[in-house]
Each structure stands twice: as structure tokens, then as C-alpha cells.
Amino acid sequence: MRINVVLSLLKKEFLNIIRDRKSFIIMILLPLLMFPFMIGIMSIILTSFTKVDQVIKFGVNYEVTEDFKQFIDNYSDKYEVEIIYDTESNLKEKFTNEEIGMYVIKDGNNYVLHYDENSTTTIANNTIIESIYKEYREQYLTNKLNELSIDYEALKSTFNIEFEQESVTEMGSLIPSVISMVLVMIISSVCFSVAIDVTTSEKEKGTLETLLSLPIKKSELITSKYITVFLLSTMAGFLTYVSLFCTLFFASNTLSKLGVMSLQINFEILIIYLVSIILISLLFSGLLLSVTIFSKNLKEAQNSLYPLELFVTLVSMLPMFGIKATMKLALIPFVNISLLFNSSLSSIVDPSFVLIAFLSTIVYSILLIMIISKLYNQEDVLFNSRALSYIQFKNGKSKTICFSPLTSLLIALIVLVLSYYFSFMFISLSQYFLLAIMPLTILLVVLVAGLLVRLDFKESFKINGFKLNRLLTYIMIYVCTYIIGNYTLELLTKLFPNMSQNYEIYASALSFDNLGLSILVIAFLPAVFEELLFRGVIFNSFNKRYNFTVGIIVSALLFGVYHMNWIQGVYAFIFGLALAYMYYRSNSIFVPITFHFINNLLATLISYFEINIFIPAGFNYFFIIGGIILLFLAIFVCEQKE
């Protein structure tokens, strides 16, 4: 792919879209002005329909000081404030009966202001009372500081104010939902407009045929179109993002009067929003380009996108119906990001939900990019002669020997996301089931992916027996790797004690009372299905596309990352190098499966019977040097038998 050609095509696409006044309004002005316009309208409505009572009443369960009474009298010429004295239970009853809109309960030096926000008049009254207490508190502290030489922070603890909302108001929960809905719909609307312009419009005008007649590759063409849609939708998202948070910052008083007390913006939320905008733009771009390419004209494109627009609208409105961000919804595309926007504004963010939502969106985006690439490589799709032929499965023997490197990495990512997701979904079930989730997920994903690409499973995952003349060298490689791996871990745990402590906490949480099930879920299932993924899929794809060195390093590195903790990860990386080498030399997936099973079986038996053999705590440098020498000797002998 030639970068200069892609950039030239990208420039052409940008100029064609920016010249259109309608596109400029949709992509620039709408994102920038939407939120200020919304909050401005709300502010006007609030100002028009909100009025303060002639006499503002609030209750207290304590005797206020003369100084406080004088402060209230002098607070404003506009307001008349009446204090109602009563017990806490009576005040709560009057509050329930709407005789008062606020009451204050004093407990020592702590003042708790109870309020409700079911009417705009009550909102205005409560705002004034809150201001009175806040300003009196500052005056109180200032006077004390003038009289005594006391630290201000220490003095603040003598007069605390808390705000406790008695009921969840419709307006307070609605605003974050409306904001997240607008954000999603603006990004989607820009994607819709740009995707139609760069695909269907070019078909209708005949410029697509002209482009294809030029000396450019189809991969360069689709790359420029995808980047155009992605960049413009991301730009619209960022402009909306800036508009949103600037509006939240400058309109905080208006929002608080509307009952929105939970919009607390911090650095983590800003980052979540930025990443979410990028990811949802990636997803929208891929989806829309793969849909609009089938349309012959603008009308047909708009009709084909109508169901998708309706779906996006409904998804963006989900938070308004009280649907929250839960792990059950973390894998549903668009839904997860929409709920994430809403939960971020409410400062209720589950890190696990964020991780699953981000990773799954990346997976969906990569899948869509692969689909688009396939579509643009078929002229019958581009010119609508046989629009859906690309999805038909052909009969006959599979021709694909192995997955491509990108597909193998995508499979590994899908396995990681699904395993993590299933672990949270079924966390209350047996630990034997939880341990079996990851290898069974590997089986499911590899099987489905293999069927989709018409993989020749027999050729890709060869199952041959041992060659007896190499059995001894394989055993020697395993023993030496075991010694080197465990000695490396011993050295690392001395250098980084926290690594060992974290792993010991994880290991102590596991308790196995059934040896047979332990062998099944710890030794057998991982040995079989992890080898299918890391050696049969990942090593094979990188070895055939690049070379043995790249294949062995990438497969071992991903094998280490897959274990998701330092102790197992470092050992798995070293062990993965040996397994990949044995697989390469034996040309049989049966060999690494066998030694993987032996290794896991030893670990299971050591843990179950609590024995201390095989642990290299007493090893000295003589053993580790001897292990390295024997390892190279075994590899040398193995190479000589080629």
C-alpha cells in the first residue's frame, strides 16, 4: 500500500465533503452548538417558570443563634425567610405533606439539609436556603479566624453541611441520559452522511468507476474512504465533547437548579469519553461503509440506513428508560458505549464494564474492516451485479491451510474478551467451571473462525505420533526448560517481592477437593485447547507468513500475556518457546499438547498433595548453567536428526 496515494485520495475525499454546506453544518456547527443550545433553552424555561415564594419556609430541629437570625435578616431585601422550629419527626412529616420544602437537622456540629426537587418553585427556595447556609458558614469561619489563630482546615470540621436528596427526581436522572443520547446521535449522523457521500454518491455520479480505472489499488481506495469517515465522525465527536464539557463547566449553576447534582467531571471520565468517541467512530465507520456499498443511489442508501438509524436512536435512549451499564450488556455493540457515556456522567463507572466494552468494540471494528476489505475486492459487489454472493459458502474441500496473522491475533483477542466476560457472568458458579471457561472458549472461537474461513482443520492441526528417536531430546528440552523457568521465577520474586505476594493471594483463593476434576480443568483442557490456539493458530500463521523466529516469539509472548499475572506469565513465555520449538520440529500438535499436559499435571499434583519437590529453591548457579548447556545440547541433537 502506497501512503502517498492514500493521502492524495484522502485529500480528495475531504475536499469533496467540506465544500458541501450541509456537511459543514452537520459536522462543525451542530456538534459545537447543540449542548449550549440545549442548556440555554433549559435555562430560559427555568427562568421563565421558576419563582420564589414570598415567604421562604424551612424547618430546623435546633435553636438558631441570634447571630444567624441577624445574618438571615440582612441576607437580602428580596427574600423573607421564616424558620419553623420542631422535632425531627414532625419536620419530616411536614416535609412529606409539602408544608415545607426543606428542613435542617443538627447533630453536634453537623448540619444536614434535607430537600426535594419536584417543582421549580421548591428548587428556587432550596437554592436560596443552601446559599444562606454556605455564606453564613464562610462568615462564621472568617469571624473565628479573626478572633483566634486557628488553622482554617481544622476549623471547618466544626461546621459541616451535607445535602441529602430525599427522592430521585425525573429531571436529575434525565439530563445525563439526554446528553449521552445527543452525543451518540451526533456521531452517528455524521457517519451516515459521510459514508453515503464516499460510497453511494460516487456510484451515482460515476466517479467510482473513474477511480478504479486509475493506477490505484483497491486496498488504497478503501483505506482512504474508511479513514475519511472515521476522522470526520471522530472530529464531530471531539467537537461535541468540547462543547459538552465546556457547557457543563460554565452552566453548572443551571444544571444544579435542574436537579443534576451528579455530573462530576474528572480526568478518568474525560479519558473514557475520548477513547469511547474513537471506538464508536471506528465501529460506525466500518458498519456504514459495509452497508452503503450495496446501494445503487442515494435514495436506496437512505432507505437501507433507515433501520440502522432507528436502531441507533433506540439504543441512545436506553439510559432514559432506566437501563444501567451491567456486565450482561458489555458485549452488545453500540449499547455498551451508549450506557458507558451515561454512567460516566453519573460517575458510576465499573472498570470491568469499561474494559469489556472497549475490547469488544475493538474486535467488532476489526471484523468490520476485514469485511469491508473483502467487499471492495469484489467488483460484482462494487457494481451490484451479484451483491450478496460474497457471503455464500462454497461446497467442496477447504482450501485455507492456516489463518492470517491478523486473523490469529483477532481470535486471541476475542478469546480474551469472551473469557473475561464469561468469568464475570458466571462468577458465582463452581471454580471448576470458571477454570474450564477459557479453554472451552478457545474451542468455540477457533471452531467458528475456522468454519468462516473454510479452514482445513486436518492440515492445520496435524496430529501425528512421537518419533522415538526424538523422544529423549523432547524430554530433555522440557526438563531444562522447567529448571530455567522456575529458576527465573525464583530470581524475579527476590527482585520483585510483590509479584510473588500477588500470585500467592491468587493461588490461596483456589481450593481443590476433587483430584479428577482438577486434572481435567487444570491439566487436560488447557493443554489441548491452549495448544490449538497458541501453536496451532498463532504460531502457524506467523511462521508461514514471516518466519520461525517471529512465530515462536509472538506465540510465546501472547501465551504469557494470556495467563494475566506475572508469575505464570513469565514462566509461560519461557515454556511457550520450548513448546513452539517442539511443535515446529515434530510437525505435530500432539507433541506440545503432551508436554503441556505433563507440565500442568505436575503443577496440579504438587498443589493437591502439597509436596515441595520440583521447586528450585535449593538450586544454585551450577544447576541453572547446567540446564542451559543441556538445553542447547538437546536442541543441537534435535537439529542434527533433521
Side-chain angles (χ1 to χ4, degrees):
M1 185 181 297
R2 296 163 295 178
I3 303 298
N4 59 327
V5 175
V6 173
L7 292 176
S8 298
L9 290 171
L10 190 61
K11 180 180 179 181
K12 179 194 77 69
E13 301 284 6
F14 264 86
L15 289 175
N16 289 340
I17 293 172
I18 296 299
R19 286 170 184 163
D20 185 359
R21 188 177 301 175
K22 179 182 176 182
S23 299
F24 177 79
I25 293 174
I26 292 176
M27 291 183 296
I28 307 294
L29 296 182
L30 182 63
L32 280 176
L33 300 179
M34 176 58 72
F35 286 111
F37 177 77
M38 286 174 54
I39 301 302
I41 293 296
M42 291 177 185
S43 179
I44 292 172
I45 294 174
L46 185 65
T47 305
S48 301
F49 294 97
T50 299
K51 63 177 181 178
V52 180
D53 289 333
Q54 292 182 351
V55 179
I56 302 174
K57 298 180 181 180
F58 74 99
V60 296
N61 72 331
Y62 65 98
E63 185 65 34
V64 300
T65 63
E66 291 297 327
D67 185 47
F68 184 69
K69 290 180 182 178
Q70 184 178 359
F71 178 82
I72 292 178
D73 292 337
N74 298 331
Y75 183 75
S76 176
D77 297 333
K78 299 179 181 179
Y79 314 125
E80 182 180 345
V81 180
E82 179 182 341
I83 303 175
I84 299 173
Y85 300 91
D86 213 328
T87 62
E88 181 177 353
S89 59
N90 290 339
L91 290 173
K92 191 166 187 177
E93 183 178 352
K94 291 179 180 179
F95 175 81
T96 304
N97 296 332
E98 298 183 359
E99 297 177 22
I100 55 176
M102 171 182 279
Y103 64 98
V104 183
I105 302 300
K106 179 182 179 184
D107 183 11
N109 289 324
N110 199 51
Y111 297 77
V112 180
L113 280 68
H114 297 259
Y115 67 100
D116 193 10
E117 296 176 350
N118 292 319
S119 71
T120 54
T121 299
T122 305
I123 293 173
N125 293 341
N126 292 347
T127 302
I128 293 170
I129 300 301
E130 289 173 15
S131 300
I132 289 174
Y133 269 85
K134 288 179 181 178
E135 292 181 26
Y136 177 74
R137 178 178 182 269
E138 295 303 315
Q139 178 178 301
Y140 170 83
L141 294 175
T142 303
N143 292 338
K144 285 292 183 181
L145 285 172
N146 291 335
E147 297 173 6
L148 304 169
S149 179
I150 299 175
D151 180 71
Y152 180 75
E153 294 299 323
L155 184 60
K156 283 172 66 174
S157 62
T158 67
F159 195 104
N160 293 325
I161 300 176
E162 296 179 6
F163 300 95
E164 183 174 326
Q165 187 165 330
E166 290 289 333
S167 63
V168 179
T169 64
E170 293 183 3
M171 186 64 74
S173 59
L174 181 63
I175 297 299
S177 303
V178 172
I179 290 174
S180 62
M181 179 186 72
V182 172
L183 190 58
V184 172
M185 294 190 68
I186 285 178
I187 295 174
S188 66
S189 65
V190 172
C191 271
F192 287 155
S193 176
V194 178
I196 291 175
D197 281 342
V198 300
T199 53
T200 311
S201 288
E202 288 197 344
K203 276 188 180 183
E204 195 171 23
K205 296 173 184 176
T207 55
L208 184 60
E209 291 88 339
T210 304
L211 285 173
L212 292 174
S213 65
L214 297 175
I216 60 174
K217 300 178 182 177
K218 291 179 182 177
S219 60
E220 296 167 346
L221 178 64
I222 182 54
T223 300
S224 66
K225 292 184 179 298
Y226 184 85
I227 293 176
T228 300
V229 180
F230 167 68
L231 287 180
L232 290 175
S233 57
T234 303
M235 179 189 71
F238 284 165
L239 291 175
T240 310
Y241 171 89
V242 172
S243 172
L244 167 62
F245 289 108
C246 288
T247 303
L248 293 179
F249 178 78
F250 290 107
S252 57
N253 291 333
T254 300
L255 290 171
S256 65
K257 292 177 182 179
L258 290 168
V260 185
M261 304 299 295
S262 58
L263 298 182
Q264 301 172 358
I265 309 303
N266 53 44
F267 179 74
E268 289 79 10
I269 290 176
L270 295 177
I271 295 300
I272 288 174
Y273 259 74
L274 280 172
V275 177
S276 298
I277 287 170
I278 294 173
L279 292 180
I280 200 171
S281 298
L282 279 171
L283 195 56
F284 269 128
S285 302
L287 180 61
L288 295 175
L289 280 178
S290 61
V291 172
T292 54
I293 191 61
F294 293 108
S295 303
K296 298 178 182 179
N297 50 57
L298 290 176
K299 184 177 180 180
E300 187 176 324
Q302 291 168 351
N303 291 336
S304 64
L305 289 180
Y306 177 75
L308 187 58
E309 290 183 87
L310 182 61
F311 169 75
V312 171
T313 302
L314 292 174
V315 165
S316 63
M317 293 174 63
L318 288 177
M320 300 176 67
F321 297 104
I323 297 176
K324 305 297 182 183
T326 62
M327 289 301 296
K328 292 182 179 180
L329 303 174
L331 281 181
I332 303 178
F334 300 111
V335 172
N336 49 15
I337 298 297
S338 179
L339 294 176
L340 183 59
F341 282 142
N342 182 69
S343 61
S344 298
L345 282 175
S346 303
S347 301
I348 308 171
V349 180
D350 181 0
S352 300
F353 182 90
V354 174
L355 179 61
I356 293 295
F358 282 2
L359 291 178
S360 62
T361 305
I362 291 172
V363 170
Y364 299 139
S365 300
I366 295 173
L367 286 172
L368 285 169
I369 292 171
M370 295 171 68
I371 291 173
I372 295 169
S373 300
K374 180 175 277 190
L375 290 175
Y376 271 74
N377 280 324
Q378 299 194 21
E379 291 187 4
D380 55 345
V381 175
L382 287 175
F383 302 109
N384 303 98
S385 57
R386 288 183 300 136
L388 296 178
S389 62
Y390 78 101
I391 63 172
Q392 296 175 353
F393 290 98
K394 297 180 180 179
N395 297 324
K397 188 176 179 180
S398 300
K399 296 181 180 180
T400 304
I401 299 177
C402 68
F403 294 103
S404 67
L406 177 60
T407 304
S408 67
L409 291 177
L410 182 61
I411 290 173
L413 181 58
I414 292 174
V415 166
L416 187 64
V417 172
L418 289 179
S419 301
Y420 195 66
Y421 175 73
F422 291 149
S423 298
F424 274 94
M425 289 294 295
F426 305 112
I427 195 169
S428 61
L429 299 181
S430 166
Q431 62 181 346
Y432 293 109
F433 181 79
L434 291 176
L435 289 171
I437 282 178
M438 294 188 84
L440 293 176
T441 303
I442 291 174
L443 173 62
L444 174 65
V445 175
V446 171
L447 183 62
V448 172
L451 292 174
L452 289 175
V453 302
R454 297 182 291 124
L455 183 72
D456 189 337
F457 287 95
K458 185 177 180 181
E459 181 67 23
S460 185
F461 306 112
K462 292 182 179 178
I463 303 178
N464 302 317
F466 282 105
K467 290 184 178 180
L468 294 178
N469 62 341
R470 286 188 182 171
L471 178 59
L472 183 60
T473 57
Y474 292 151
I475 294 174
M476 186 62 66
I477 289 173
Y478 168 70
V479 172
C480 295
T481 303
Y482 185 89
I483 294 173
I484 296 169
N486 281 282
Y487 188 85
T488 302
L489 289 184
E490 183 187 13
L491 179 63
L492 288 174
T493 52
K494 288 180 179 180
L495 295 174
F496 309 101
N498 289 335
M499 289 173 54
S500 178
Q501 293 173 5
N502 294 335
Y503 177 72
E504 288 172 1
I505 293 173
Y506 163 77
S508 63
L510 301 176
S511 58
F512 301 101
D513 52 6
N514 189 314
L515 182 59
L517 280 176
S518 299
I519 292 175
L520 176 66
V521 301
I522 298 177
F524 179 73
L525 291 180
V528 174
F529 298 122
E530 287 177 10
E531 288 310 305
L532 289 180
L533 174 62
F534 292 101
R535 257 58 66 180
V537 173
I538 296 174
F539 173 78
N540 259 343
S541 62
F542 280 89
N543 179 46
K544 292 185 182 297
R545 176 64 177 82
Y546 299 103
N547 53 52
F548 167 74
T549 303
V550 174
I552 194 173
I553 292 176
V554 171
S555 62
L557 183 62
L558 293 177
F559 187 50
V561 173
Y562 169 82
H563 287 79
M564 292 187 291
N565 66 75
W566 278 103
I567 293 292
Q568 287 181 299
V570 172
Y571 182 83
F573 173 73
I574 297 172
F575 189 42
L577 294 173
L579 291 173
Y581 177 78
M582 288 189 282
Y583 173 61
Y584 176 72
R585 281 297 168 217
S586 66
N587 197 28
S588 171
I589 197 69
F590 183 67
V591 175
I593 286 177
T594 300
F595 284 95
H596 195 157
F597 173 73
I598 292 172
N599 184 77
N600 290 358
L601 179 63
L602 288 176
T604 304
L605 295 175
I606 290 171
S607 176
Y608 186 83
F609 293 107
E610 298 181 353
I611 52 182
N612 293 323
I613 60 173
F614 301 108
I615 298 177
F619 287 2
N620 54 35
Y621 287 100
F622 172 78
F623 287 95
I624 187 64
I625 294 173
I628 294 174
I629 293 174
L630 288 176
L631 176 62
F632 279 103
L633 179 61
I635 293 174
F636 175 77
V637 172
C638 192
E639 292 293 325
Q640 295 305 310
K641 293 180 180 180
E642 272 298 307

